Amino acid sequence: MIKSNLAKYTGIAVLCLMTLSGCSQKTTKGFPYALPAEKPNRPLSLAMERSYDKYGATPQDNELYTQFKYTELKGFDYNGHDGTISRRDPSKIIYKNGKYYVWYTYRNTSTSPKGAAKANDTIPSADWDLSEIWYATSKDGFTWEEQGVAVPRPPKPAVGWRSVTTTDILEWKGKYYLYYQGFLEISGKKGDDCPVAVSYADSPDGPWTPHNEIVIPNGAPGEWDQYSIHDPYPIVYKGKIYLYYKSDANGKPNYIRMQGLATADNPLGPFTKHPLNPVIGSGHETTMFPFKDGIAALVIRDGNEHNTIQFAKDGVNFDVAANVEFMPDAAGPFIPDAYTDTKDGRGITWGLSHFTTVNGWGTNHAVLARFDCDLSQDVNDPNMKKNHVYLRPEFFYKMGLTGQQKKRIAEETKKLSK
Ligand code: AAL
């Protein structure tokens, strides 16, 4: 008995010593040079905790980290880029009948946009005023053949009579649905007054039948989405239609752009806005895709969390998953599993986006472009996972100081010399 007790206590003492020496090792040895692939069991700074918990040890380990590469498209004419023809806000891309399909806002007007005060029946106020929804097809995703109008402007006073823009496609039970912003007055007179309308067809080539009702109305006065519902963007998730959208709130003096969610069991509605809206407090145009068991989002341009890719396991509660640069504006990716109600979203590798900065305001218009990336579980492209883009000094000098800033700096220096 005594012998066994002795053995027991000796064992405990040895264990304690081992633990102690383990502890002291943990605290005295510096953080390892070779970055552990898994979160190490040692006290970590907040930044290193976050690094492992949110992102993965390095950007290369993070499936939601990528670079974006851009290619000019072939097949679209822009009238010498004089501002009379514009193509922007591409939809998601789908692959049907042996080719890719994309829909987009198409403007072909006698002049470039002139602002709300000068706009009339033929002069557009903004780049997306007096527009229609057109579509194009492609065999390779680089050269496109424009097919013409999909959804024209309906006669006044139907929703969209002034302009139909910023569309996205849904495939649901063998039918196709195009959701779009239906302008009820000139854009810019009262912000963008453009509730969401929908047209449907049996084939991606149409003909499209307008469902002459607003499917996602503006919020009630005083609510964050009281003025506009932008960028309707449907995917199928958890057996339902999850339609994400953007709205502009605040507006004093700058808008805060945020993303909301509305869900439905039927493509023609009713859609129920989520009680937690807005579900993302940043971003500009809306781009989401099924990823693993949740939804990933490209959060571009605006807000505290712009230039991030976010992820929500429930499609609602998004968190930052990666910080990225040079994100595609208004991205419409090719998402093979956007409508399959997948439980294991495979991600995206390319799509179309737009550039709105081809020329100055005088000949303002937008062009479609292709972006490529590696946000896919099935591709591992180390070149897309590099974590720096090398830019020449000229790029930075182009973003030079304004005259007013130069004046302030000169005054500050003058004050010092007194
Ligand atoms: C875009 C989109 C919507 C807006 C306008 C055209 O960035 O958010 O489509 O209405 O600008």
Side-chain angles (χ1 to χ4, degrees):
M1 186 65 146
I2 294 174
K3 220 176 169 185
S4 73
N5 267 348
L6 190 72
K8 192 166 131 196
Y9 292 129
T10 317
I12 291 171
V14 169
L15 244 171
C16 286
L17 273 174
M18 275 169 64
T19 317
L20 271 177
S21 73
C23 275
S24 70
Q25 250 190 16
K26 257 186 218 163
T27 46
T28 54
K29 264 202 175 176
F31 188 82
Y33 171 72
L35 206 57
E38 301 295 325
K39 188 176 172 180
N41 179 20
R42 54 175 289 139
L44 291 171
S45 66
L46 188 59
M48 292 310 291
E49 287 275 355
R50 195 166 61 237
S51 187
Y52 280 99
D53 292 348
K54 286 181 81 158
Y55 308 120
T58 70
Q60 289 70 34
D61 298 316
N62 184 349
E63 280 170 317
L64 285 176
Y65 173 80
T66 187
Q67 288 292 342
F68 295 95
K69 298 191 184 254
Y70 295 89
T71 310
E72 194 173 350
L73 297 179
K74 293 205 175 95
F76 291 121
D77 174 63
Y78 288 93
N79 214 16
H81 296 282
D82 66 356
T84 58
I85 295 183
S86 190
R87 293 182 187 83
R88 55 180 295 145
D89 291 299
S91 70
K92 281 187 230 81
I93 290 158
I94 62 169
Y95 189 79
K96 292 283 157 190
N97 314 319
K99 52 198 174 195
Y100 296 111
Y101 282 75
V102 69
W103 291 261
Y104 46 88
T105 305
Y106 174 81
R107 177 177 60 76
N108 187 342
T109 46
S110 56
T111 68
S112 59
K114 299 290 178 212
K118 290 191 186 151
N120 61 24
D121 286 354
T122 53
I123 298 178
S125 65
D127 189 27
W128 52 92
D129 190 23
L130 291 176
S131 295
E132 297 182 319
I133 291 159
W134 279 42
Y135 78 115
T137 57
S138 172
K139 290 268 182 210
D140 62 4
F142 291 90
T143 299
W144 291 81
E145 267 178 57
E146 194 151 68
Q147 302 294 337
V149 70
V151 181
R153 283 190 283 143
K156 205 170 176 177
V159 58
W161 67 265
R162 177 69 198 185
S163 197
V164 285
T165 80
T166 324
T167 193
D168 200 33
I169 182 88
L170 167 72
E171 193 182 342
W172 178 266
K173 298 188 179 161
K175 281 194 190 306
Y176 300 87
Y177 298 82
L178 281 175
Y179 295 87
Y180 45 89
Q181 301 178 187
F183 280 80
L184 294 159
E185 65 169 273
I186 295 173
S187 168
K189 290 250 189 226
K190 220 175 63 188
D192 270 358
D193 185 7
C194 51
V196 174
V198 60
S199 287
Y200 52 89
D202 290 330
S203 149
D205 290 300
W208 295 90
T209 307
H211 172 66
N212 289 316
E213 276 172 40
I214 291 169
V215 281
I216 317 235
N218 290 352
E223 291 181 350
W224 75 286
D225 56 354
Q226 68 172 342
Y227 288 126
S228 15
I229 308 286
H230 283 161
D231 307 300
Y233 188 95
I235 48 187
V236 176
Y237 186 56
K238 295 187 175 172
K240 282 181 181 289
I241 300 153
Y242 270 52
L243 188 146
Y244 294 93
Y245 65 94
K246 174 201 107 194
S247 194
D248 290 342
N250 210 30
K252 354 178 236 180
N254 295 320
Y255 284 123
I256 297 177
R257 286 175 170 132
M258 300 186 283
Q259 319 295 319
L261 167 65
T263 58
D265 294 311
N266 181 324
L268 301 181
F271 278 87
T272 309
K273 290 186 183 175
H274 199 280
L276 290 183
N277 279 350
V279 294
I280 299 180
S282 301
H284 194 104
E285 289 99 355
T286 309
T287 307
M288 270 77 176
F289 56 92
F291 194 73
K292 296 190 172 167
D293 53 349
I295 301 290
L298 303 187
V299 180
I300 69 162
R301 278 182 57 176
D302 293 319
N304 288 323
E305 292 179 345
H306 68 279
N307 284 359
T308 62
I309 296 180
Q310 305 205 6
F311 178 74
K313 219 176 160 57
D314 58 0
V316 174
N317 289 287
F318 285 86
D319 196 5
V320 174
N323 294 280
V324 290
E325 53 197 330
F326 298 110
M327 299 185 83
D329 276 5
F334 173 51
I335 314 175
D337 53 11
Y339 315 119
T340 60
D341 199 11
T342 176
K343 308 280 175 293
D344 186 23
R346 305 311 298 173
I348 59 169
T349 58
W350 72 279
L352 298 193
S353 58
H354 70 206
F355 290 113
T356 58
T357 47
V358 191
N359 287 340
W361 168 247
T363 50
N364 179 233
H365 69 294
V367 297
L368 299 177
R370 174 179 166 122
F371 70 90
D372 282 82
C373 60
D374 177 4
L375 292 169
S376 163
Q377 292 200 65
D378 303 318
V379 169
N380 182 18
D381 182 346
N383 187 268
M384 289 287 189
K385 297 279 178 185
K386 286 187 174 164
N387 50 340
H388 194 61
V389 177
Y390 286 90
L391 297 165
R392 294 184 191 280
E394 294 75 46
F395 175 87
F396 297 93
Y397 297 149
K398 264 195 190 152
M399 297 180 285
L401 293 161
T402 64
Q404 219 173 11
Q405 287 163 336
K406 285 183 189 157
K407 203 168 141 216
R408 185 210 6 106
I409 293 162
E411 275 162 13
E412 279 165 9
T413 308
K414 208 164 145 196
K415 264 190 224 155
L416 289 175
S417 66
K418 277 186 188 158

